[in-house]
Amino acid sequence: MTSSGRTREGPSRRGPVITVDGPAASGKSSTAREVARRLGIRHLDSGALYRALTYALLDEGVPQEEWVELEADDLESLQVQVEPTEEGIRIRHRDRPLDSELRTARVTARVSSLASVSAVRSWLLRRQREAARHGALVAEGRDMGSVVFPDADLKIFLVADLEERARRRLRERGEEEGPDAVRDEALRLARRDRDDETRSVAPLRKAEDAVEVDTTGLTLDEQVDRIVAMARGLTGSDAQI
Ligand code: DC
């Protein structure tokens, strides 16, 4: 950020922004949430925004083959509202708060295809940047450091072995970690990685100035400690946390 507070993301960003990007199940959500809590700043889960639009489209019965033609007006009419809160953001659909609805298998299976629609990405870009107008932020997703906050004060890119990521996903869901289950989950994750990395708009990639953290052999506490230490080491009067 420059001393005037003006950034490539537009004027009036308030406070430092830390971005945490990486592939599915690399540990982004739990890490970003805990880093934000330890630093006492807000958390933006950008994947939840893509999930909310997916949920709303399914709820309103818009056929998936029409998603590619969606325009800003169509997205506006879905009535997905994003509001700032003390901890980050709250998402509503037609005034109803969305939470566990965002993580169902039905939404998870379709969200990548919506995330490749460029009108969707532009529509969400503004909403994500708006979140930084309410104070310091840990922003988590796939393109936080590369597209949404190119001037972020600290950019982290998390990676982990595919098999380790598959095990984490199974553990998260309370399922057995047998060899077949691990292999199937690894295949699903690899497919999502490929979709996210090869789409033409805002593909998943490490920003040049991001710090890569391999979480394969790290506990959550260790990952968080490293990032918090880097965040506390930021210098410059407007980047101090
Ligand atoms: O992190 P997640 O699993 O909640 O993300 C859901 C989907 O949204 C996933 O397919 C990638 C996409 N996504 C994206 O394209 N850009 C982001 N900044 C965040 C998520």
Side-chain angles (χ1 to χ4, degrees):
M1 198 189 317
T2 65
S3 54
S4 68
R6 177 170 284 280
T7 70
R8 277 178 288 167
E9 296 125 39
S12 67
R13 197 176 83 188
R14 289 179 42 205
V17 169
I18 299 169
T19 57
V20 181
D21 290 301
S26 57
K28 288 185 309 288
S29 293
S30 35
T31 305
R33 184 168 293 109
E34 185 57 16
V35 168
R37 195 191 65 76
R38 294 252 301 263
L39 295 171
I41 63 179
R42 297 165 63 253
H43 169 229
L44 171 68
D45 170 4
S46 63
L49 300 172
Y50 290 90
R51 287 171 179 275
L53 289 179
T54 306
Y55 172 85
L57 287 163
L58 292 171
D59 192 61
E60 317 242 330
V62 181
Q64 200 176 338
E65 37 315 341
E66 292 177 14
W67 293 5
V68 64
E69 285 153 25
L70 288 168
E71 292 181 5
D73 286 351
D74 305 316
L75 298 169
E76 209 63 57
S77 71
L78 288 174
Q79 297 196 43
V80 169
Q81 298 111 10
V82 184
E83 299 157 12
T85 64
E86 291 264 300
E87 293 82 31
I89 52 165
R90 184 185 302 117
I91 306 176
R92 294 175 191 271
H93 175 228
R94 298 193 180 280
D95 292 326
R96 200 164 61 82
L98 294 181
D99 186 19
S100 55
E101 297 85 345
L102 300 179
R103 315 241 142 239
T104 60
R106 189 165 171 249
V107 169
T108 301
R110 291 164 180 84
V111 61
S112 273
S113 96
L114 186 71
S116 65
V117 178
S118 73
V120 167
R121 302 202 76 89
S122 333
W123 195 79
L124 285 180
L125 187 63
R126 212 187 78 212
R127 276 138 193 97
Q128 293 168 85
R129 288 184 176 165
E130 237 155 55
R133 309 237 157 93
H134 299 275
L137 191 68
V138 179
E140 159 222 331
R142 303 293 192 291
D143 61 344
M144 296 294 102
S146 54
V147 175
V148 181
F149 298 112
D151 292 331
D153 301 276
L154 173 64
K155 299 181 184 179
I156 305 291
F157 194 81
L158 293 184
V159 294
D161 281 357
L162 185 60
E163 190 172 306
E164 169 61 17
R165 292 194 279 136
R167 288 182 186 284
R168 287 180 189 165
R169 267 289 138 91
L170 292 168
R171 239 173 280 148
E172 244 169 52
R173 299 202 296 259
E175 294 172 17
E176 293 288 324
E177 289 173 48
D180 288 353
V182 172
R183 196 200 47 229
D184 290 352
E185 189 59 33
L187 281 174
R188 269 195 292 273
L189 285 172
R191 202 174 309 128
R192 273 186 67 194
D193 287 353
R194 209 172 37 244
D195 288 350
D196 290 341
E197 284 163 8
T198 56
R199 67 174 173 231
S200 54
V201 278
L204 170 68
R205 66 173 177 82
K206 175 176 168 290
E208 264 172 35
D209 49 350
V211 181
E212 184 168 299
V213 177
D214 187 337
T215 69
T216 308
L218 298 179
T219 64
L220 176 62
D221 263 353
E222 288 167 337
Q223 295 165 39
V224 171
D225 283 349
R226 283 193 193 185
I227 299 170
V228 167
M230 284 187 252
R232 293 211 165 115
L234 292 172
T235 52
S237 58
D238 55 4
Q240 220 97 54
I241 293 188

